[in-house]
Amino acid sequence: MLKLDQVSQAYGSREVVKNLSFDLIPGQIGCLLGPSGCGKTTVLRCIAGFEPVAAGHIEIGGETVSSPARRTPPERRQIGMVFQDYALFPHLTVAGNIAFGLGALGKEARQTRVDELLALTGLLENANKYPHQLSGGQQQRVALARALAPRPRLLLMDEPFSNLDVELRERLTQEVRDILRREGMTALIVTHDQNEAFALADVVGVMHEGIIQQWDTPYNLYHQPANRFVADFVGQGVFLPGMVLNNEMVEIELGVLHGMIPTDCDATGCGQCVHDCYVDVLLRPDDIVHDDESLLIAEVENKAFRGADFLYTLKLPSGARALSLVPSHHDHAIGEMIGIKLAVDHVVAYRRVTPGAPG
Amino acid sequence: MPAESSVLSANTPAKFKPAGVFAFARPGGWGAVALVIALLTVIPVAVIFSAWLTPEADILGHLTEFVLPELLANTFWLLLGVGIGVTVLGVSLAWLTAMCEFPGRKFFSWALLLPLAVPAYVLAFVMIGLLDYTGPLQTWLREAFGPMQLPQIRSRGGVIFVMSLALYPYVYLIARNAFLTQGRAALEAAQSLGLNRWQGFRRVALPMARPWIAAGLMLALMETLADFGTVAIFNYDTFTTAIYKAWFSLFSLSAASQLSSILILFVLILALAEQRTRSHMKYGGVGRAASHDRIHLSRRQALLATSYAGLVFAIAFLIPLVQLLLWTSEVAATDLDSRYWEFVRNSLWLSGLGAAIVCVLALLLGYAGRQKPGQFMQLVQRVATIGYAFPGTVLAVGVFIPVAWLDNVIIDLLKSQGWQGTEVLKGTLLVMLLAYAVRFLAVGFGPVDSGLQRVTRNIDEAARVMGTSTLSLLSRVHLPMLRTSLFTAAALAFVDIMKEMPITLMTRPFGWDTLAVRVFEMTAEGEWERAALPSVAIILAGLIPIIFLAGRGENTHA
């Protein structure tokens, strides 16, 4: 449905998007995730047709809409867009906003479609209110309904939840996902919030400095990050120094980890090295579990109570820090020594950035 | 606006095409449009200063020897007196109505704005009529208490008295907003530190409101410098009357220009000071209404407050209005004739035409800033809207000279084609309308620009994504969203032009006498009664936007 092929975009001499390629199949929800300034909003604006592309091309529904040579204007792309600030028309009611893009329909068909969307988004009672009379969450739903009304081929959402408070954000994320599913909508969402991306999207592209670092499912992004940036940006975790013993074993302070050492780790990383190679090993908080029986002990340096569990910051014997997620009935005081054990499924390792022997 | 535009410019690539709106005009085109509008303001000033390149020695000598010393002294005392007067009146009334509770507070908080509708020149002749030796007050006093004499109203003190009463609303309006909206938290912090409300006012609220008060004061002083009608009625010579005399009695454009250039120096200093103080104005703690914790005055204090506010309201608005109505009823039978309706028609026409021009220019300038944001455009917009500071007499001279020059060029050109005539542009409304446009562009630009700020780029793009063409974007989104702003801009400009005196007086073509011109002519002959009828019409028109303004103020802050 959407296909980007080697798309680049530059503001003057500054390249903000470099050789970007990905595609979405019909009904798929994709997400571009990255820190601010990574170029993700520019990609969205290129797809919408507000920005030209400097190289490569963009297809929507098999038809090329953007290339350096020609650009279909936004109004002829049949896409919907939800803006960060919603950009609702303040002079129109909720119903008026939703009907705005339905000019081509007859009066009756238009009314039917508006009612459909009002029902879909739970706004039936607010049809005749003006945007300023609505709460933030309601405005968000109007923006979504307005974008969906003309049955676009593709829906684009730019940081759609960033103006909402956390609790509302979580609830709406679910709602929006359900609505998109029910409409069978292909959608691309841009966000800097990983929870949002994981909750909404089938497939996520992590962007950094104008490049998609990894285009993958949320699960793989977390467990098999393609490079250090993705590992750092997605989820929590620490890097511990380690040494490769052979292509199935790597030794770190806490013991020897077994499992395939990805030969292409760090995407380029330690492809050449087979053994005796210094690496950094990624340890997620759930890779270290609490075990009173264990001989491995570490000092509780800090702890954050999160309801169901504690997130402990542990000080290892070498002085290195690690995180551990522990069920909340294991309440240990700061300074206490506790037993820990490794529970690593996938070994994720990258070439050392700072040289030195594993501690 | 600075934050907004810097965000836009950061997102605007070199190749950004305006999102459909006026896509035919590239950003460069919009820059040119804005520059042309700014030139309307720059050219008159440049022309006036260029008069020094060709000085007429004898006139200049006469000016410096006999005229300038008096003008400078008169202007200095006027500015000082009016400055003190408007500050004391404006700040005290603003504090009382914003922060204290006393009988009639709600009424006075908007009623004290009403004097804005009474032009200073109207208040001037009413006061002279009332307070002169032969006026009703002194006559009554003599009858009641025997021979006595009040201080002469036709004096420096009289001018200052009248202008302070006419101009204090500028300070009042802005200072009151400041007291209501800013820094309530700071005031509460002061109380928690042991200061009582009066100490809090003196040591916290007043210093915090200083930039606002200063801004209001600058506006009032600019109006003082620009005033022609009042000082003309009082025969109190200032630069504006001197320019008028140089224009009509000496027929010396050069002398008029040189006097204008001195006046405009004063004005520019004030305008710069005003823009500087504006940059210090920051809103804090907006939104909390002060109504429920106003200071409750003691009975005696409350009585004093009510009498004080009532006295100012009565002298600045109520009594003059009643007097005007009385005079009007005396002359209505004879003066309400076809000539009067001609004045009304001319005033309406010119104000309508002027307001339309102001709206169009304000829209163009606003869209230019929207389509091509950046520091350069901000500067251009600032220059283009500085005209509100220029006195009408100065603008009349500064616009007339280049148009006359252009006229001669055209005539020469036409004559070479065998055409015979003496003027093309001079006999038309062009000079007057151009001068109006320069003087009142800021009045229209303010509301239009803030209206345009609400039409964000995302709103444009939202409409475009839904398949909207440029034309229907303008008609379905922009026009409805800008309607209120445009209406406000038009109403404000309309009323200001209606009140305007010197530009109209100096540059109107034959047969274009307006209500304001009629007021000038009647007061010049001391016929107060006959000046009353046109004055009432001007005041009625002027009340409309003030009622709007007051209503809006109450809704947001009461």
Side-chain angles (χ1 to χ4, degrees), chain A residues 38-49:
Chain A
C38 71
K40 55 193 193 298
T41 296
T42 306
V43 177
L44 204 70
R45 295 176 57 79
C46 285
I47 298 171

Side-chain angles (χ1 to χ4, degrees), chain B residues 499-512:
Chain B
K499 289 196 278 193
E500 206 287 328
M501 185 180 276
I503 293 175
T504 319
L505 211 51
M506 290 167 74
T507 63
R508 72 189 190 284
F510 181 77
W512 281 93

Side-chain angles (χ1 to χ4, degrees), chain B residues 108-455:
Chain B
F108 284 120
S109 48
W110 65 269
L112 284 168
L113 281 173
L114 289 177
L116 269 183
V118 184
Y121 57 79
V122 171
L123 194 64
F125 79 77
V126 176
M127 282 300 160
I128 292 180
L130 276 172
L131 302 178
D132 220 7
Y133 187 74
T134 53
L137 183 70
Q138 296 219 37
T139 312
W140 177 78
L141 283 175
R142 276 195 303 275
E143 278 168 7
F145 304 103
M148 63 181 300
Q149 194 162 3
L150 289 181
Q152 176 61 256
I153 176 77
R154 292 185 205 240
S155 63
R156 178 172 285 154
V159 185
I160 292 173
F161 171 72
V162 164
M163 291 189 58
S164 298
L165 281 174
L167 298 176
Y168 83 85
Y170 286 102
V171 178
Y172 169 76
L173 182 64
I174 302 184
R176 183 164 188 273
N177 258 338
F179 289 142
L180 279 178
T181 54
Q182 59 145 22
R184 296 209 42 84
L187 204 55
E188 281 162 11
Q191 282 180 279
S192 76
L193 293 170
L195 271 64
N196 67 32
R197 301 295 292 260
W198 295 106
Q199 290 169 324
F201 168 65
R202 209 163 40 83
R203 289 179 50 191
V204 178
L206 199 57
M208 281 178 74
R210 205 176 288 147
W212 279 264
I213 296 169
L217 176 63
M218 302 294 166
L219 283 178
L221 292 184
M222 277 187 239
E223 288 295 319
T224 309
L225 278 181
D227 175 83
F228 168 78
T230 317
V231 289
I233 289 169
F234 274 92
N235 265 326
Y236 183 84
D237 276 331
T238 63
F239 281 94
T240 54
T241 52
I243 294 167
Y244 181 78
K245 282 178 190 159
W247 177 272
F248 276 118
S249 314
L250 298 174
F251 296 107
S252 168
L253 280 178
S254 164
S257 301
Q258 279 152 5
L259 288 168
S260 297
S261 67
I262 301 172
L263 179 52
I264 210 132
L265 273 182
F266 286 123
V267 165
L268 284 178
I269 292 169
L270 272 182
L272 281 180
E274 192 228 345
Q275 297 206 335
R276 273 186 72 93
T277 58
R278 264 182 203 283
S279 62
H280 294 293
M281 289 166 43
K282 289 196 184 76
Y283 283 93
V286 182
R288 270 203 54 195
S291 55
H292 45 84
D293 55 351
R294 286 202 168 84
I295 305 174
H296 282 267
L297 302 173
S298 70
R299 276 176 72 95
R300 228 177 69 103
Q301 287 172 326
L303 192 71
L304 275 175
T306 310
S307 334
Y308 172 52
L311 191 70
V312 174
F313 175 68
I315 299 179
F317 187 76
L318 198 61
I319 295 175
L321 189 66
V322 170
Q323 179 62 67
L324 282 172
L325 290 173
L326 286 175
W327 278 334
T328 301
S329 68
E330 284 172 30
V331 297
T334 52
D335 270 19
L336 210 57
D337 54 5
S338 61
R339 278 202 63 202
Y340 175 74
W341 292 115
E342 192 187 312
F343 301 141
V344 172
R345 205 172 53 235
N346 286 343
S347 276
L348 292 178
W349 250 112
L350 287 175
S351 305
L353 214 54
I357 294 172
V358 163
C359 283
V360 169
L361 290 181
L363 268 177
L364 287 174
L365 196 62
Y367 270 106
R370 189 170 185 269
Q371 301 302 111
K372 188 180 182 288
Q375 278 193 328
F376 171 74
M377 186 56 85
Q378 268 187 348
L379 183 73
V380 173
Q381 285 183 335
R382 247 190 206 186
V383 170
T385 52
I386 195 91
Y388 68 93
F390 299 168
T393 45
V394 172
L395 276 175
V397 177
V399 175
F400 177 80
I401 294 174
V403 171
W405 173 83
L406 188 66
D407 211 26
N408 287 336
V409 172
I410 297 175
I411 289 167
D412 282 349
L413 208 71
L414 289 176
K415 276 201 174 138
S416 67
Q417 307 292 318
W419 182 81
Q420 286 182 336
T422 51
E423 46 184 29
V424 181
L425 304 172
K426 264 184 290 188
T428 67
L429 296 173
L430 182 73
V431 176
M432 191 160 50
L433 290 175
L434 273 179
Y436 286 160
V438 175
R439 177 126 169 81
F440 300 118
L441 180 56
V443 165
F445 181 70
V448 167
D449 190 49
S450 59
L452 270 173
Q453 303 282 340
R454 295 191 308 132
V455 191

Side-chain angles (χ1 to χ4, degrees), chain A residues 121-197:
Chain A
T121 48
L123 287 166
L124 275 172
E125 295 98 78
N126 299 307
N128 293 318
K129 287 193 182 155
Y130 284 89
H132 70 267
Q133 298 170 301
L134 302 178
S135 69
Q138 288 169 326
Q139 292 184 8
Q140 218 280 338
R141 277 184 277 233
V142 179
L144 180 65
R146 182 180 70 176
L148 290 175
R151 299 186 200 278
R153 297 186 288 184
L154 171 70
L155 181 72
L156 304 174
M157 302 176 91
D158 184 8
E159 301 272 4
F161 306 105
S162 62
N163 284 335
L164 304 172
D165 60 61
V166 181
E167 207 176 314
L168 191 60
R169 195 183 305 179
E170 281 176 11
R171 213 177 66 218
L172 264 179
T173 317
Q174 279 313 314
E175 269 186 51
V176 167
R177 189 183 160 88
D178 292 345
I179 290 170
L180 294 181
R181 285 273 180 262
R182 233 172 296 162
E183 291 269 304
M185 187 55 61
T186 314
L188 183 68
I189 294 141
V190 153
T191 179
H192 65 271
D193 181 334
Q194 144 200 342
N195 294 330
E196 220 168 281

Side-chain angles (χ1 to χ4, degrees), chain A residues 9-12 45 48 50-52 54 71 73-75 79-81 83-85 87-92 97 99-101 146 150, chain B residues 10-17 19 454 456-470 472-473 476-478 480-481:
Chain A
Q9 156 73 334
Y11 293 159
R45 295 176 57 79
F50 295 124
E51 307 276 355
R71 169 157 70 115
E75 62 267 33
I79 51 173
M81 189 149 174
F83 292 83
Q84 184 170 6
D85 61 0
L88 298 177
F89 302 124
H91 62 294
L92 296 177
N97 265 283
F100 190 93
R146 182 180 70 176
Chain B
N11 287 337
T12 309
K15 283 187 284 182
F16 171 71
K17 293 178 183 168
R454 295 191 308 132
T456 61
R457 216 164 71 143
N458 279 354
I459 287 204
D460 273 13
E461 294 183 348
R464 291 255 289 158
V465 177
M466 284 183 277
T468 314
S469 70
T470 299
S472 88
L473 174 68
R476 289 179 65 194
V477 180
H478 285 214
M481 282 184 73

